[in-house]
Short mmCIF file of all heavy atoms in Angstrom, two decimals:
data_model
loop_
_atom_site.label_atom_id
_atom_site.label_comp_id
_atom_site.label_asym_id
_atom_site.label_seq_id
_atom_site.Cartn_x
_atom_site.Cartn_y
_atom_site.Cartn_z
N PHE A 203 -20.69 -27.23 -21.80
CA PHE A 203 -20.52 -28.65 -22.15
C PHE A 203 -19.37 -29.29 -21.30
O PHE A 203 -18.33 -28.70 -21.18
CB PHE A 203 -20.06 -28.80 -23.60
CG PHE A 203 -21.13 -28.53 -24.61
CD1 PHE A 203 -21.16 -27.30 -25.27
CD2 PHE A 203 -22.12 -29.48 -24.92
CE1 PHE A 203 -22.13 -27.03 -26.20
CE2 PHE A 203 -23.07 -29.18 -25.89
CZ PHE A 203 -23.08 -28.01 -26.51
N ALA A 204 -19.66 -30.43 -20.76
CA ALA A 204 -18.60 -31.28 -20.22
C ALA A 204 -18.27 -32.37 -21.25
O ALA A 204 -19.19 -32.88 -21.90
CB ALA A 204 -19.01 -31.86 -18.89
N THR A 205 -17.03 -32.70 -21.36
CA THR A 205 -16.71 -33.81 -22.29
C THR A 205 -15.95 -34.87 -21.52
O THR A 205 -15.21 -34.60 -20.57
CB THR A 205 -15.82 -33.37 -23.45
OG1 THR A 205 -14.48 -33.07 -22.96
CG2 THR A 205 -16.39 -32.13 -24.19
N GLY A 206 -16.10 -36.14 -21.94
CA GLY A 206 -15.37 -37.20 -21.30
C GLY A 206 -16.25 -38.46 -21.16
O GLY A 206 -17.37 -38.34 -20.62
N GLU A 208 -15.87 -40.75 -19.19
CA GLU A 208 -15.95 -41.19 -17.83
C GLU A 208 -17.10 -40.51 -17.04
O GLU A 208 -17.40 -40.86 -15.91
CB GLU A 208 -14.63 -40.89 -17.08
CG GLU A 208 -14.32 -39.43 -16.70
CD GLU A 208 -13.72 -38.62 -17.84
OE1 GLU A 208 -14.04 -38.81 -19.04
OE2 GLU A 208 -12.90 -37.71 -17.56
N LEU A 209 -17.75 -39.56 -17.65
CA LEU A 209 -18.69 -38.71 -16.93
C LEU A 209 -20.07 -39.36 -16.74
O LEU A 209 -20.62 -39.92 -17.70
CB LEU A 209 -18.87 -37.37 -17.56
CG LEU A 209 -17.56 -36.52 -17.65
CD1 LEU A 209 -17.82 -35.21 -18.35
CD2 LEU A 209 -17.00 -36.32 -16.29
N GLY A 219 -14.56 -46.68 -12.14
CA GLY A 219 -13.85 -45.91 -13.15
C GLY A 219 -14.58 -44.66 -13.61
O GLY A 219 -14.01 -43.87 -14.37
N ILE A 221 -16.94 -41.03 -12.97
CA ILE A 221 -17.14 -39.95 -11.95
C ILE A 221 -18.33 -39.12 -12.40
O ILE A 221 -18.74 -39.13 -13.58
CB ILE A 221 -15.92 -39.04 -11.85
CG1 ILE A 221 -15.60 -38.41 -13.21
CG2 ILE A 221 -14.74 -39.79 -11.32
CD1 ILE A 221 -14.61 -37.27 -13.11
N ARG A 222 -18.96 -38.46 -11.46
CA ARG A 222 -20.06 -37.62 -11.82
C ARG A 222 -19.55 -36.27 -12.39
O ARG A 222 -18.45 -35.79 -12.02
CB ARG A 222 -20.95 -37.35 -10.62
CG ARG A 222 -21.66 -38.60 -10.12
CD ARG A 222 -22.82 -38.33 -9.23
NE ARG A 222 -23.36 -39.58 -8.75
CZ ARG A 222 -23.09 -40.08 -7.51
NH1 ARG A 222 -22.32 -39.38 -6.67
NH2 ARG A 222 -23.57 -41.23 -7.13
N ASN A 223 -20.31 -35.75 -13.28
CA ASN A 223 -19.97 -34.45 -13.91
C ASN A 223 -20.21 -33.31 -12.95
O ASN A 223 -21.31 -32.85 -12.75
CB ASN A 223 -20.83 -34.28 -15.18
CG ASN A 223 -20.75 -32.86 -15.74
OD1 ASN A 223 -19.86 -32.10 -15.39
ND2 ASN A 223 -21.73 -32.51 -16.57
N SER A 224 -19.16 -32.87 -12.30
CA SER A 224 -19.26 -31.77 -11.38
C SER A 224 -18.95 -30.42 -12.05
O SER A 224 -19.44 -29.37 -11.63
CB SER A 224 -18.35 -31.96 -10.18
OG SER A 224 -17.01 -32.15 -10.58
N ASN A 225 -18.14 -30.47 -13.09
CA ASN A 225 -17.70 -29.20 -13.74
C ASN A 225 -18.86 -28.36 -14.17
O ASN A 225 -18.88 -27.12 -14.10
CB ASN A 225 -16.77 -29.49 -14.89
CG ASN A 225 -15.37 -29.86 -14.42
OD1 ASN A 225 -15.05 -29.76 -13.25
ND2 ASN A 225 -14.53 -30.23 -15.39
N SER A 226 -19.83 -29.03 -14.85
CA SER A 226 -20.90 -28.27 -15.46
C SER A 226 -21.66 -27.38 -14.43
O SER A 226 -22.05 -26.25 -14.70
CB SER A 226 -21.90 -29.20 -16.16
OG SER A 226 -21.25 -29.79 -17.29
N TYR A 227 -21.85 -27.99 -13.27
CA TYR A 227 -22.59 -27.25 -12.20
C TYR A 227 -21.72 -26.17 -11.56
O TYR A 227 -22.18 -25.10 -11.23
CB TYR A 227 -23.11 -28.27 -11.18
CG TYR A 227 -24.13 -29.15 -11.87
CD1 TYR A 227 -23.73 -30.28 -12.51
CD2 TYR A 227 -25.45 -28.78 -11.92
CE1 TYR A 227 -24.63 -31.09 -13.19
CE2 TYR A 227 -26.38 -29.52 -12.60
CZ TYR A 227 -25.98 -30.73 -13.24
OH TYR A 227 -26.89 -31.48 -13.92
N ALA A 245 -23.81 -33.74 -21.29
CA ALA A 245 -22.39 -33.98 -21.40
C ALA A 245 -22.08 -34.77 -22.70
O ALA A 245 -22.90 -35.51 -23.19
CB ALA A 245 -21.97 -34.81 -20.20
N ASP A 248 -16.57 -39.00 -25.77
CA ASP A 248 -15.33 -38.70 -26.52
C ASP A 248 -15.50 -38.95 -28.03
O ASP A 248 -14.54 -39.28 -28.71
CB ASP A 248 -14.16 -39.51 -25.93
CG ASP A 248 -13.75 -38.97 -24.59
OD1 ASP A 248 -13.98 -37.75 -24.31
OD2 ASP A 248 -13.25 -39.75 -23.76
N THR A 270 -15.47 -28.19 -20.91
CA THR A 270 -14.36 -28.63 -20.05
C THR A 270 -13.94 -30.00 -20.53
O THR A 270 -14.76 -30.80 -20.99
CB THR A 270 -14.76 -28.74 -18.54
OG1 THR A 270 -15.71 -29.81 -18.42
CG2 THR A 270 -15.35 -27.47 -18.04
N GLY A 271 -12.63 -30.22 -20.44
CA GLY A 271 -12.07 -31.55 -20.78
C GLY A 271 -11.68 -31.59 -22.23
O GLY A 271 -12.13 -30.76 -23.07
N GLY A 272 -10.88 -32.61 -22.57
CA GLY A 272 -10.58 -32.88 -23.97
C GLY A 272 -9.63 -31.86 -24.62
O GLY A 272 -9.61 -31.79 -25.86
N VAL A 273 -8.90 -31.05 -23.87
CA VAL A 273 -7.99 -30.11 -24.48
C VAL A 273 -6.51 -30.41 -24.33
O VAL A 273 -5.67 -29.71 -24.81
CB VAL A 273 -8.25 -28.64 -24.03
CG1 VAL A 273 -9.43 -28.04 -24.74
CG2 VAL A 273 -8.36 -28.56 -22.53
N SER A 274 -6.21 -31.45 -23.57
CA SER A 274 -4.79 -31.72 -23.38
C SER A 274 -4.28 -32.66 -24.45
O SER A 274 -4.81 -32.66 -25.55
CB SER A 274 -4.54 -32.25 -21.97
OG SER A 274 -5.47 -33.20 -21.59
N VAL A 275 -3.29 -33.42 -24.17
CA VAL A 275 -2.67 -34.20 -25.24
C VAL A 275 -2.99 -35.68 -25.17
O VAL A 275 -2.33 -36.51 -25.81
CB VAL A 275 -1.13 -33.98 -25.31
CG1 VAL A 275 -0.83 -32.60 -25.76
CG2 VAL A 275 -0.51 -34.21 -23.91
N GLY A 276 -4.04 -36.04 -24.43
CA GLY A 276 -4.46 -37.43 -24.39
C GLY A 276 -4.96 -37.84 -25.77
O GLY A 276 -5.34 -37.00 -26.60
N ARG A 278 -7.63 -39.14 -26.66
CA ARG A 278 -9.10 -39.00 -26.86
C ARG A 278 -9.50 -37.54 -26.65
O ARG A 278 -10.61 -37.26 -26.26
CB ARG A 278 -9.87 -39.85 -25.88
CG ARG A 278 -9.43 -41.30 -25.76
CD ARG A 278 -10.14 -42.20 -26.80
NE ARG A 278 -11.58 -42.32 -26.67
CZ ARG A 278 -12.19 -43.18 -25.84
NH1 ARG A 278 -11.53 -43.95 -25.09
NH2 ARG A 278 -13.53 -43.23 -25.87
N ASP A 279 -8.62 -36.61 -26.91
CA ASP A 279 -8.96 -35.25 -26.59
C ASP A 279 -9.68 -34.59 -27.72
O ASP A 279 -9.12 -34.07 -28.65
CB ASP A 279 -7.68 -34.47 -26.14
CG ASP A 279 -7.35 -34.80 -24.69
OD1 ASP A 279 -8.26 -35.01 -23.92
OD2 ASP A 279 -6.14 -34.84 -24.35
N PRO A 304 -3.44 -26.13 -20.96
CA PRO A 304 -4.04 -26.41 -22.26
C PRO A 304 -5.29 -25.61 -22.60
O PRO A 304 -5.91 -25.82 -23.63
CB PRO A 304 -4.36 -27.91 -22.22
CG PRO A 304 -4.12 -28.37 -20.86
CD PRO A 304 -3.77 -27.25 -19.99
N LEU A 318 -12.00 -25.19 -21.59
CA LEU A 318 -11.25 -25.21 -20.31
C LEU A 318 -10.79 -26.65 -20.07
O LEU A 318 -11.38 -27.60 -20.58
CB LEU A 318 -12.12 -24.75 -19.16
CG LEU A 318 -12.69 -23.36 -19.35
CD1 LEU A 318 -13.84 -23.12 -18.27
CD2 LEU A 318 -11.63 -22.29 -19.20
N SER A 319 -9.77 -26.74 -19.33
CA SER A 319 -9.22 -28.05 -18.90
C SER A 319 -10.31 -28.78 -18.10
O SER A 319 -11.16 -28.17 -17.48
CB SER A 319 -7.95 -27.80 -18.08
OG SER A 319 -7.56 -28.97 -17.53
N GLY A 320 -10.25 -30.11 -18.13
CA GLY A 320 -11.26 -30.90 -17.41
C GLY A 320 -11.03 -30.97 -15.93
O GLY A 320 -11.96 -31.16 -15.16
N ASN A 321 -9.80 -30.81 -15.47
CA ASN A 321 -9.53 -30.87 -14.07
C ASN A 321 -10.32 -29.77 -13.34
O ASN A 321 -10.27 -28.60 -13.72
CB ASN A 321 -8.06 -30.64 -13.77
CG ASN A 321 -7.28 -31.90 -13.89
OD1 ASN A 321 -7.72 -32.94 -13.32
ND2 ASN A 321 -6.18 -31.89 -14.62
N PRO A 322 -11.10 -30.12 -12.34
CA PRO A 322 -11.96 -29.13 -11.73
C PRO A 322 -11.28 -27.84 -11.29
O PRO A 322 -11.75 -26.73 -11.54
CB PRO A 322 -12.58 -29.88 -10.54
CG PRO A 322 -12.56 -31.30 -10.93
CD PRO A 322 -11.33 -31.47 -11.76
N SER A 390 -4.76 -29.36 -9.10
CA SER A 390 -5.84 -29.00 -10.04
C SER A 390 -6.93 -30.08 -10.18
O SER A 390 -8.04 -29.83 -10.52
CB SER A 390 -5.18 -28.72 -11.37
OG SER A 390 -5.48 -29.62 -12.32
N SER A 391 -6.56 -31.34 -9.81
CA SER A 391 -7.55 -32.42 -9.96
C SER A 391 -8.45 -32.46 -8.72
O SER A 391 -9.44 -33.17 -8.70
CB SER A 391 -6.82 -33.74 -10.08
OG SER A 391 -5.94 -33.94 -8.94
N MET A 393 -11.16 -30.94 -5.92
CA MET A 393 -12.20 -29.88 -5.95
C MET A 393 -12.66 -29.42 -4.62
O MET A 393 -13.36 -28.41 -4.50
CB MET A 393 -13.36 -30.35 -6.83
CG MET A 393 -14.17 -31.41 -6.12
SD MET A 393 -15.58 -31.91 -7.13
CE MET A 393 -14.87 -33.34 -7.95
P1 AMP B 501 -9.27 -33.95 -19.33
O1 AMP B 501 -9.02 -32.49 -19.34
O2 AMP B 501 -10.45 -34.35 -20.22
O3 AMP B 501 -8.07 -34.75 -19.63
O4 AMP B 501 -9.73 -34.26 -17.86
C1 AMP B 501 -8.81 -34.06 -16.81
C2 AMP B 501 -9.34 -34.62 -15.52
O5 AMP B 501 -10.56 -33.93 -15.17
C3 AMP B 501 -9.74 -36.08 -15.58
O6 AMP B 501 -9.41 -36.71 -14.33
C4 AMP B 501 -11.22 -36.08 -15.78
O7 AMP B 501 -11.85 -37.22 -15.32
C5 AMP B 501 -11.58 -34.86 -14.94
N1 AMP B 501 -12.83 -34.28 -15.50
C6 AMP B 501 -13.12 -34.01 -16.77
N2 AMP B 501 -14.29 -33.51 -16.93
C7 AMP B 501 -14.86 -33.48 -15.72
C8 AMP B 501 -16.14 -33.02 -15.26
N3 AMP B 501 -17.04 -32.56 -16.09
N4 AMP B 501 -16.39 -33.07 -13.93
C9 AMP B 501 -15.43 -33.58 -13.07
N5 AMP B 501 -14.19 -33.95 -13.48
C10 AMP B 501 -13.90 -33.92 -14.78
#
Side-chain angles (χ1 to χ4, degrees):
F203 288 101
T205 71
E208 74 276 35
L209 298 180
I221 58 167
R222 295 196 184 100
N223 167 18
S224 55
N225 282 354
S226 292
Y227 295 87
D248 289 332
T270 67
V273 280
S274 45
V275 289
R278 311 271 299 273
D279 281 327
L318 302 167
S319 170
N321 275 313
S390 113
S391 57
M393 73 180 94

